[in-house]
């Protein structure tokens, strides 16, 4: 039915005067489970379906959407999109131009081993209850949480240029948290990542690989130990080693966002801010040290930015944002790529059927180096090892930032020692990445998932991936709390 409705809507748009049109039909199913303090605290299911039409008429964009899947509604939405485009054209600065792409007729399905929707609900909840119980066996905790999410999106993209693409995308995610309170402190430890959960494209096998139950006692013990841990040294400069999950968020905020070309060109400035990576710096700007290689990759299996085609019908691709420390590439759409004479690299994604596609990070990853974490620590005479994000702040050009981590350890004489609480570090993006002198290798490299990246007006939440391993940075300002 979706194919027929898409063809009808595209025909109506053409008859009404559109010079370009694309249609997206999306069915999204999401189940979230949360266990808290030994009980099932929340179980939700979202099931949404609808379609949208994006058109160009009189040189301007128009967009309309509906959840009513009928031929009459397809005609109405197409006509409305064309009318909105013509209204927008009255105030346009210039005609919309799109970079050329070859229309594709294809299918894509996330590779999975265990369909998460086939795993009985009781089995999924039982796993969370066992992880929660393993945390609560440790004395001194106020709150324990264990959560999981399963996600499936079935969508059709069709364009007046002849594209017809069907995709089925799966995601699974999970996480545990332990909170301890005392002596004027609230300390939290999370696993595998903070922010509620770690998520990837894949089946239930991803959740099983995380071994929540096995890691629960350590996470609980660390949360309690943090209450009496020594505070992070205040306002000093030292060497830091960031864990892989912390480096992933650092990459997301200080590289992933500033390479979004819509921000660079000012079309996202009102809400998300702009970027210091202006077009005159492309190919010339020294972003980091020669050890910093950051890839844009929507092909690598497992990442939350992995798919077959974006929401403009552009194939997933692999390229570079930073090569040996030099800034070399943007995340682009067909329109922004045309503005700079580039080829689009397939990064336009919409949060469901009722939202316009925006440039979103795919998998923006720091590529592995040659160290192991043990050797990196042994090679560090004095410094701090910081693990798992607790807080962050960054300015609207993505230059000046501050991050805090859940836990840290002092390093002295090449050995990890005293546990530290309330660790923070701050820096200026190119100076910080310029101070990177070592990145761990493939053994320590993980594709981390960020399932809650906000952007756009009205707001959209995107799922992005960031491969990262522990990395070392020299002469970093640490312990700045204000």
């Amino acid at each position: 039915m979706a194919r027929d409705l898409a063809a009808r809507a595209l025909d109506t748009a053409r008859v009404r005067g559109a010079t370009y049109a694309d249609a997206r039909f999306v069915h999204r199913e999401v189940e979230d489970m949360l266990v808290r303090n030994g009980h099932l605290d929340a179980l939700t299911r979202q099931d949404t379906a609808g379609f949208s039409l994006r058109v160009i008429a009189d040189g301007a964009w128009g967009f309309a959407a509906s959840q009513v899947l009928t031929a009459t509604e397809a005609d109405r939405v197409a006509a409305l999109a064309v009318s909105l485009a013509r209204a927008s054209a009255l105030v346009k600065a210039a005609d919309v131009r799109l970079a050329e792409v070859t229309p594709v007729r294809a299918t894509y399905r996330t590779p999975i081993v265990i369909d998460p929707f086939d795993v009985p609900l009781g089995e999924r909840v039982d796993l969370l209850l066992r992880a929660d119980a393993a945390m609560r066996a440790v004395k001194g905790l106020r709150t324990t949480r264990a959560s999981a999410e399963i996600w499936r999106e079935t969508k059709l993209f069709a364009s007046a240029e002849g594209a017809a693409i069907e995709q089925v995308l799966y995601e699974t995610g999970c996480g545990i948290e332990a909170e301890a309170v005392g002596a004027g402190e609230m300390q939290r430890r999370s696993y595998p990542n903070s922010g509620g959960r770690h998520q990837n494209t894949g089946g239930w096998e991803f959740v099983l690989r995380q071994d929540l139950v096995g890691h629960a006692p350590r996470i609980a013990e660390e949360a309690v130990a943090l209450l009496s841990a020594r505070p992070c040294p205040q306002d000093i400069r030292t060497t830091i080693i960031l864990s892989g999950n912390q480096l992933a968020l650092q990459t997301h905020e200080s590289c992933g966002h500033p390479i979004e070309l819509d921000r660079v060109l000012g079309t996202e400035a009102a809400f998300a801010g702009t970027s210091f990576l202006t077009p005159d710096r492309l190919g010339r700007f020294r972003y980091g040290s020669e050890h910093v290689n950051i890839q844009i990759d929507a092909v690598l299996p497992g990442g939350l930015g992995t798919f077959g085609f974006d929401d403009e019908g552009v194939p997933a691709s692999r390229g570079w944002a930073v090569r040996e420390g030099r800034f070399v590439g943007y995340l682009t759409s067909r329109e922004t790529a045309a503005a700079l004479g580039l080829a689009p690299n397939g990064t336009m994604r919409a949060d469901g059927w009722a939202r316009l596609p925006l440039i979103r990070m795919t998998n923006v990853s720091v590529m592995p180096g040659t160290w192991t974490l043990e050797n990196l620590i042994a090679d560090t005479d004095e410094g701090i090892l910081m693990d798992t994000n607790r807080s962050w702040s960054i300015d609207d050009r993505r230059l000046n930032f501050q991050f805090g981590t859940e836990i840290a350890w002092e390093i002295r004489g090449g050995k990890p020692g005293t546990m530290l609480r309330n660790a923070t570090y701050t820096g200026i993006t190119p100076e910080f990445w310029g101070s990177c002198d070592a990145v761990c290798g493939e053994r320590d490299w993980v594709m981390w998932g960020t399932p809650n990246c906000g952007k756009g007006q009205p707001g959209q939440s995107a799922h992005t991936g960031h491969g990262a391993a522990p990395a070392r940075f020299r002469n970093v300002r640490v312990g700045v709390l204000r």
Side-chain angles (χ1 to χ4, degrees):
M1 180 179 71
R3 278 181 175 267
D4 293 339
L5 290 178
R8 182 172 182 130
L10 294 174
D11 284 343
T12 300
R14 274 194 295 257
V15 169
R16 294 276 182 165
T19 54
Y20 171 85
D22 61 43
R24 291 186 305 109
F25 287 72
V26 181
H27 178 202
R28 178 181 292 178
E29 305 156 87
V30 184
E31 286 187 13
D32 285 288
M33 292 143 279
L34 171 64
V35 166
R36 175 172 170 162
N37 289 341
H39 303 282
L40 181 60
D41 191 63
L43 175 62
T44 62
R45 178 180 172 94
Q46 304 171 49
D47 197 327
T48 64
F51 74 100
S52 59
L53 208 72
R54 194 178 66 147
V55 307
I56 298 173
D58 294 346
W61 284 112
F63 176 81
S66 175
Q67 58 185 339
V68 179
L69 303 178
T70 65
T72 301
E73 186 70 352
D75 289 340
R76 187 192 70 81
V77 168
L80 177 59
V82 173
S83 297
L84 291 170
R86 287 192 163 134
S88 298
L90 298 175
V91 294
K92 69 183 179 185
D95 285 354
V96 173
R97 291 190 306 115
L98 300 180
E100 295 291 329
V101 297
T102 301
V104 174
R105 305 178 77 85
T107 61
Y108 175 86
R109 187 181 186 90
T110 302
I112 60 173
V113 177
I114 305 172
D115 188 329
F117 289 86
D118 287 345
V119 179
L121 175 61
E123 186 175 323
R124 286 181 268 147
V125 173
D126 179 67
L127 173 62
L128 300 184
L129 287 169
R130 287 188 288 117
D132 188 84
M135 288 188 286
R136 287 186 299 110
V138 176
K139 302 296 183 187
L141 296 175
R142 182 185 69 172
T143 307
T144 54
R145 300 183 187 86
S147 63
E149 178 174 285
I150 60 175
W151 194 95
R152 178 169 57 202
E153 189 168 88
T154 305
K155 57 185 181 180
L156 166 69
F157 172 88
S159 76
E161 296 173 330
I165 300 166
E166 295 181 42
Q167 300 188 86
V168 182
L169 306 178
Y170 283 87
E171 295 181 12
T172 56
C174 63
I176 55 175
E177 292 180 350
E179 286 181 3
V181 176
E185 289 282 332
M186 192 286 283
Q187 294 293 336
R188 175 190 301 127
R189 283 292 288 130
S190 309
Y191 172 83
N193 204 355
S194 57
R197 64 184 185 274
H198 175 33
Q199 192 148 315
N200 266 204
T201 52
W204 189 249
E205 67 277 3
F206 171 80
V207 171
L208 298 179
R209 282 201 304 268
Q210 305 313 309
D211 188 17
L212 297 183
V213 177
H215 285 274
R218 173 180 62 84
I219 290 302
E221 290 163 2
E222 289 178 350
V224 174
L226 279 166
L227 292 178
S228 56
R230 212 176 80 194
C232 177
Q234 299 293 297
D235 204 3
I236 63 169
R237 283 190 173 272
T238 189
T239 296
I240 65 171
I241 297 175
L242 299 183
S243 62
N245 57 8
Q246 178 61 29
L247 190 71
L249 186 63
Q250 178 76 51
T251 306
H252 177 101
E253 301 294 348
S254 65
C255 181
H257 278 304
I259 62 172
E260 294 167 340
L261 191 49
D262 52 352
R263 295 175 66 108
V264 175
L265 299 180
T267 55
E268 269 295 311
F271 181 70
T274 59
S275 172
F276 71 97
L277 292 174
T278 48
D280 59 300
R281 292 181 164 182
L282 183 62
R284 301 172 183 168
F285 184 68
R286 173 56 67 180
Y287 177 89
S289 74
E290 69 273 20
H291 303 285
V292 178
N293 291 288
I294 301 179
Q295 198 166 69
I296 302 167
D297 184 356
V299 179
L300 188 68
L304 287 184
T306 301
F307 45 78
F309 302 85
D310 77 350
D311 287 335
E312 286 191 314
V314 178
S317 66
R318 176 179 292 156
W320 293 98
V322 176
R323 187 70 169 146
E324 297 179 345
R326 193 171 301 281
F327 163 54
V328 295
Y330 285 117
L331 299 159
T332 64
S333 63
R334 292 184 65 181
E335 183 179 7
T336 58
L340 294 191
L342 304 172
N345 54 6
T347 69
M348 286 286 274
R349 292 193 287 164
D351 183 8
W353 56 268
R355 294 288 183 265
L356 267 168
L358 299 172
I359 292 177
R360 307 310 303 260
M361 291 172 235
T362 53
N363 303 307
V364 179
S365 303
V366 180
M367 301 312 290
T370 58
W371 294 74
T372 65
L373 179 57
E374 294 81 5
N375 289 341
L376 193 56
I377 293 172
D379 187 65
T380 304
D381 290 335
E382 184 174 335
I384 299 175
L385 170 62
M386 299 187 181
D387 187 5
T388 310
N389 187 261
R390 180 174 178 173
S391 64
W392 76 95
S393 173
I394 189 165
D395 70 40
D396 61 355
R397 295 183 64 215
R398 301 284 154 172
L399 268 173
N400 191 339
F401 62 79
Q402 183 182 73
F403 287 87
T405 63
E406 290 185 350
I407 194 168
W409 292 270
E410 188 178 56
I411 300 173
R412 285 194 180 277
K415 296 180 180 177
T418 304
M419 179 185 292
L420 303 174
R421 60 181 161 91
N422 303 334
T424 64
Y425 66 97
T426 187
I428 305 296
T429 296
E431 294 175 6
F432 179 77
W433 286 102
S435 74
C436 178
D437 74 342
V439 181
C440 288
E442 292 187 3
R443 193 201 70 174
D444 297 303
W445 195 87
V446 173
M447 178 59 79
W448 298 98
T450 302
N452 51 7
C453 175
K455 186 177 177 181
Q457 291 176 301
Q460 299 191 37
S461 181
H463 297 187
T464 68
H466 304 285
R472 184 171 65 188
F473 299 82
R474 299 290 194 179
N475 193 33
V476 177
R477 195 176 175 197
V478 164
V480 180
L481 297 179
R482 295 180 181 174

